[in-house]
Amino acid sequence: MAEMIHPPMDQLQDLEYCIDSNPPWAETILLAFQNYIQMLGTSVMIPSLLVPAMGGSDGDKARVIQTLLFVAGINTLLQALFGTRLPAILGGSYAYVIPIAYIINDSSLQRISDRHERFVQTMRAIQGALIVASSIQIILGYSQVWGLFSRFFSPLGMAPVVALVGLGLFQRGFPLLGNCVEIGLPMLLLVIGVSQYLKHVRPIRDVPIFERFPVLISVAIIWIYSLILTASGAYRDKPNDTQHNCRTDRANLISSAPWFKFPYPLQWGPPTFSAGHSFAMMSAVLVSMVESTGAYKAASRLAIATPPPAYVLSRGIGWQGIGILLDGLFGTCTGSTVSVENVGLLGLSRVGSRRVVQLSAGFMIFFSTLGKFGAVFASIPFPIFAALYCVQFGLVASVGLSFLQFTNMNCMRNLIITGLSLFLGISIPQFFNEYWNPTHRGLVHTNAGWFNAFLNTIFSSPATVGLIIAVFLDNTLEVEKSKKDRGMPWWVKFRTFRGDNRNEEFYTLPFNLNRFFPPT
């Protein structure tokens, strides 16, 4: 048999900076700003979707975006320092849209005639639900229960889950890019050209600017192009949807944002609590936990680190629960999860440095308090971000599939598990999404609204459906005699903190805190 040309490798080899190595300070600052620009898409899109439905004005929307960015900065910093310590940015999550829509359509809130008062009361209800639901991740994380459950994971089980974290967001890619194809398509072609075909071109000394900063370069060029189209009147007589997606001045963020505003806890008033709202929100917390687990696995690979051991994974989920608690206290209108697009950016820029993400958190906090300046960047048309998502979500999906190199893919058992998990992980959520819209209850429509929201949320998440199918099949079909085929000889050393010597280098807490919180 011919010698293998590409043997399985623990770590990716063509990345420039790993988790604990740092670029020069000038590059670090620009890379951090690039991460900040990247996460603006979701941070603007979610409030733009939810705040008007809550009865909020453009001013309310700008304030929610500021709050979301501010808390995202805090949560990212906490996660990078004390959580998994991976270079992962935490931001708003679409997983919370269904339970939040259920709260928005609550009859007691819909009866409020004054729009601003309805917005405030709805925000308080969302805050209360987030505060209660955050206990799920806090308990499962700090009790190590999620870490114990992760012992059922294997390379075979994780490959489709991580892949679906990226593939499951396909509707955020080209379908949204197509809303303004004259901006989105050039952006897609440009970011591919800059990051792949020009990556070896170095016009400034030895700095690979096209390889390091493809997002900054591409966004700047296409944003200027879209400004020219807007100023020249190219969209003057176009339909409202086209103007909303293409123009740079339709979001009303700059005019409605204050010059300076410091978000603070309970700024909307005291939260209100409802058992139904809280149970519905718990489904989104569970989904965000699964999706974040897959994103952490991808981030570890793109940061040239070992897969996070069970103890580190649980620690990260615990801190993410605290992040959701902060979301509830500040009123961000959604909960937190790992930003998949920023995980993809690690691979696109070939930099997995933790310091870059920590500094990026500083940009989030800084620009969230300076409302007008932050609103300028937040006014970038969304099709520009959708073009970036096409590349970055696809990259995260391929990182997930790379775990299959540690398994035997000449085994029919593994082929069935992988194929079924991927296919149903896309097909089932698509089926549920076809029946759901903000004003209807979705495919599950009993008389209990919270139950409808719970099940519709769980089964609308590709990664969650994929996890259920992959982990169940992988742990029930010919388990004992398939250990090698599943990749367990390689995976088992990463189950515990001391299973691999590199874990201490990557995941030890700062300030010598491991003395007080010894890893297991």
Side-chain angles (χ1 to χ4, degrees):
M1 185 176 179
E3 183 181 352
M4 288 184 66
I5 301 175
H6 302 293
M9 304 188 77
D10 283 2
Q11 297 168 308
L12 296 174
Q13 299 300 302
D14 56 349
L15 298 172
E16 295 294 329
Y17 296 96
C18 70
I19 185 171
D20 52 7
S21 62
N22 303 306
W25 272 108
E27 282 189 48
T28 298
I29 292 170
L30 285 173
L31 286 163
F33 185 67
Q34 182 171 245
N35 270 277
Y36 163 72
I37 292 294
Q38 177 64 71
M39 64 91 59
L40 282 176
T42 300
S43 301
V44 173
M45 190 64 178
I46 293 176
S48 298
L49 176 70
L50 296 176
V51 170
M54 295 163 63
S57 63
D58 288 335
D60 295 323
K61 180 174 68 175
R63 193 174 169 191
V64 170
I65 291 171
Q66 284 181 266
T67 305
L68 178 55
L69 286 170
F70 182 82
V71 177
I74 295 174
N75 289 342
T76 298
L77 206 55
L78 290 174
Q79 191 65 234
L81 285 172
F82 308 116
T84 60
R85 306 216 70 213
L86 288 165
I89 285 178
L90 269 68
S93 171
Y94 287 101
Y96 292 82
V97 169
I98 293 178
I100 289 173
Y102 159 65
I103 295 173
I104 291 173
N105 290 311
D106 189 297
S107 58
S108 63
L109 295 169
Q110 287 294 318
R111 283 197 293 266
I112 301 174
S113 56
D114 183 83
R115 286 183 60 83
H116 181 70
E117 180 63 19
R118 177 158 60 87
F119 166 75
V120 171
Q121 293 300 327
T122 304
M123 177 63 81
R124 291 178 182 178
I126 293 170
Q127 287 182 261
L130 285 169
I131 290 171
V132 174
S134 67
S135 62
I136 296 289
Q137 286 194 12
I138 294 173
I139 293 171
L140 291 179
Y142 290 123
S143 68
Q144 295 294 311
V145 170
W146 188 244
L148 291 173
F149 179 74
S150 72
R151 293 177 185 271
F152 292 102
F153 298 166
S154 71
L156 183 69
M158 278 292 99
V161 175
V162 179
L164 286 167
V165 168
L167 292 177
L169 295 167
F170 70 93
Q171 290 185 341
R172 314 273 178 244
F174 207 88
L176 293 184
L177 179 157
N179 288 336
C180 188
V181 72
E182 62 267 33
I183 291 176
L185 191 57
M187 180 65 192
L188 178 60
L189 297 175
L190 185 62
V191 74
I192 293 172
V194 169
S195 64
Q196 303 306 311
Y197 292 96
L198 299 179
K199 63 183 178 182
H200 297 303
V201 178
R202 303 189 177 192
I204 304 176
R205 300 182 192 175
D206 293 327
V207 180
I209 61 170
F210 295 116
E211 182 181 63
R212 287 284 179 277
F213 312 111
V215 170
L216 282 184
I217 293 169
S218 303
V219 167
I221 293 172
I222 301 300
W223 191 17
I224 292 171
Y225 167 60
S226 62
L227 283 167
I228 293 172
L229 288 177
T230 300
S232 65
Y235 304 113
R236 190 169 296 137
D237 299 320
K238 299 294 182 182
N240 284 335
D241 284 348
T242 301
Q243 295 198 35
H244 177 75
N245 287 298
C246 299
R247 294 181 67 103
T248 56
D249 58 356
R250 294 293 288 182
N252 296 325
L253 291 177
I254 299 174
S255 59
S256 56
W259 281 103
F260 178 84
K261 185 72 177 180
F262 195 85
Y264 55 90
L266 307 183
Q267 59 187 337
W268 311 103
T272 57
F273 299 92
S274 162
H277 295 170
S278 300
F279 278 119
M281 195 66 76
M282 286 178 185
S283 62
V285 171
L286 290 171
V287 165
S288 73
M289 182 169 62
V290 172
E291 293 176 348
S292 293
T293 297
Y296 287 135
K297 300 289 186 183
S300 67
R301 193 146 178 79
L302 291 170
I304 322 181
T306 54
Y311 168 78
V312 173
L313 188 60
S314 281
R315 190 175 73 193
I317 293 300
W319 277 104
Q320 189 169 306
I322 289 178
I324 296 171
L325 176 63
L326 292 176
D327 289 325
L329 290 173
F330 279 81
T332 62
C333 197
T334 184
S336 294
T337 192
V338 176
S339 171
V340 180
E341 54 267 35
N342 286 86
V343 172
L345 184 56
L346 299 178
L348 196 63
S349 63
R350 291 174 170 79
V351 176
S353 170
R354 182 189 295 126
R355 178 182 289 176
V356 169
V357 166
Q358 291 171 335
L359 190 58
S360 180
F363 276 115
M364 295 177 217
I365 295 170
F366 177 74
F367 282 113
S368 67
T369 56
L370 299 177
K372 294 288 187 188
F373 293 100
V376 170
F377 299 116
S379 65
I380 299 171
F382 196 76
I384 291 179
F385 292 106
L388 293 172
Y389 297 163
C390 291
V391 179
Q392 290 154 348
F393 293 161
L395 180 56
V396 171
S398 64
V399 170
L401 295 177
S402 73
F403 283 106
L404 293 175
Q405 67 183 301
F406 306 107
T407 69
N408 177 13
M409 291 311 288
N410 292 313
C411 167
M412 188 56 67
R413 170 193 183 274
N414 291 0
L415 291 172
I416 289 173
I417 292 174
T418 303
L420 199 59
S421 302
L422 284 171
F423 185 82
L424 292 181
I426 294 174
S427 185
I428 292 175
Q430 178 65 20
F431 180 61
F432 272 75
N433 286 331
E434 286 177 0
Y435 283 86
W436 186 87
N437 66 62
T439 58
H440 292 82
R441 291 173 289 187
L443 187 64
V444 181
H445 50 274
T446 66
N447 291 328
W450 65 269
F451 183 74
N452 303 335
F454 191 98
L455 287 187
N456 285 324
T457 301
I458 294 292
F459 290 104
S460 294
S461 165
T464 306
V465 174
L467 180 83
I468 293 170
I469 295 169
V471 172
F472 175 79
L473 293 177
D474 191 35
N475 287 276
T476 55
L477 289 176
E478 303 173 337
V479 180
E480 286 303 316
K481 71 176 186 178
S482 301
K483 283 186 177 180
K484 286 187 177 180
D485 290 340
R486 299 167 64 207
M488 293 310 294
W490 174 78
W491 186 264
V492 71
K493 62 184 176 182
F494 303 120
R495 281 183 168 181
T496 61
F497 191 86
R498 294 184 177 86
D500 189 288
N501 293 332
R502 294 168 293 179
N503 289 339
E504 186 172 351
E505 173 190 353
F506 299 138
Y507 299 116
T508 297
L509 290 170
F511 316 122
N512 211 15
L513 288 174
N514 274 45
R515 292 183 304 166
F516 308 103
F517 306 99
T520 56

